[in-house]
Amino acid sequence: VSALASPSNIDFYQALALHDTQAFCDVYRPQVLHPIHGYVPFIPHNYQATLLDDLDAGGQHVILKARQIGISTTIMAHFLRLCMAHAGTMLCVSRKERTAVELVRIARDMATRTATPLPIHITTDNKTELAFNNGARIIAETSSPETGRTFAASAVLVDEFAFLPWQEEMWRSLRPTVSRGARVIIPSTPDMEGDLFEQQWREAQSGSSRWHAHRLPWAGRRSA
């Protein structure tokens, strides 16, 4: 989506932004905290834009990635767009509470620092939860054998999946959510051979599962 050409296009683009995260970023210009430049609009790089298109299409996604290339930010933009579109629960699972809190902070910044106000507003705001007036919410949890058992989530992010404790137990507790059609995203840098993340990645890459495989290295930053 290009920059808005005229006021007459605003309604069209705002309707498109409910279903397309790149359009959401173009219309509302949500800001993120840059380590050098402070708050700046989130303008997806090509590899982030490609990933957003795939996430918007739905399904389950396993992402083999390098560190510090903005994938968590990309996924939180996608989750915020989902919150704007419908009253679902977006569950973010992290290894440490600090990381869980950081994911919510990214979403909070994007929701409150925009060029054009979002059509939803925050009604609950704490370290690990954002809730909106349309019933949508973003919740962050640290990983445990019981993770996700109490939520009927419509989307789940399991951050740095290869490094989480209780992988098998946690995955079993999330299966009901997955079986109900929730989109699940498991990005991670690699840890060791034979773990559950590597298994999911290899099955997706070979086409023997319904998961979509993405490879996002530093060199080239491409999607596979």
Side-chain angles (χ1 to χ4, degrees):
V1 180
S2 61
L4 302 182
S6 70
S8 63
N9 288 333
I10 291 176
D11 288 344
F12 168 77
Y13 282 119
Q14 286 181 336
L16 181 61
L18 291 173
H19 308 284
D20 184 303
T21 307
Q22 289 193 70
F24 165 78
C25 292
D26 196 31
V27 170
Y28 295 101
R29 305 286 284 183
Q31 293 190 358
V32 294
L33 183 60
H34 189 278
I36 299 174
H37 303 296
Y39 283 100
V40 297
F42 176 58
I43 302 173
H45 295 290
N46 288 340
Y47 67 98
Q48 293 169 316
T50 298
L51 178 60
L52 284 174
D53 286 344
D54 290 340
L55 296 180
D56 285 345
Q60 322 301 338
H61 299 265
V62 55
I63 304 167
L64 180 64
K65 68 179 185 70
R67 294 186 184 276
Q68 304 301 320
I69 59 171
I71 299 307
S72 294
T73 299
T74 304
I75 296 170
M76 296 316 293
H78 173 64
F79 274 14
L80 187 57
R81 196 272 302 165
L82 290 177
C83 284
M84 197 174 71
H86 62 87
T89 295
M90 318 303 152
L91 175 62
C92 306
V93 181
S94 299
R95 180 170 53 140
K96 299 178 180 178
E97 182 181 8
R98 180 180 61 192
T99 309
V101 169
E102 175 66 9
L103 291 171
V104 173
R105 183 199 63 76
I106 293 170
R108 181 186 299 109
D109 285 347
M110 286 186 161
T112 58
R113 296 174 178 270
T114 57
T116 301
L118 299 184
I120 57 175
H121 63 263
I122 296 172
T123 56
T124 300
D125 184 355
N126 58 54
K127 290 196 305 182
T128 57
E129 180 180 1
L130 289 179
F132 300 90
N133 63 316
N134 68 342
R137 57 183 182 163
I138 296 173
I139 295 176
E141 285 191 341
T142 53
S143 61
S144 77
E146 303 297 318
T147 294
R149 197 175 293 274
T150 60
F151 296 111
S154 55
V156 181
L157 161 64
V158 187
D159 193 44
E160 287 293 354
F161 185 73
F163 296 89
L164 296 186
W166 307 294
Q167 280 188 1
E168 297 286 348
E169 296 87 346
M170 185 190 66
W171 197 245
R172 282 196 293 270
S173 73
L174 285 174
R175 276 179 183 167
T177 291
V178 178
S179 66
R180 286 191 292 267
R183 63 187 73 198
V184 179
I185 308 166
I186 52 173
S188 188
T189 49
D191 183 24
M192 58 185 176
E193 293 185 359
D195 68 357
L196 189 54
F197 175 76
E198 188 202 26
Q199 176 184 327
Q200 293 288 98
W201 163 254
R202 291 194 180 279
E203 288 178 358
Q205 193 178 42
S206 67
S208 60
S209 74
R210 292 187 174 184
W211 287 72
H212 302 276
H214 305 267
R215 181 179 173 86
L216 297 173
W218 270 107
R221 293 180 174 181
R222 57 187 175 83
S223 179

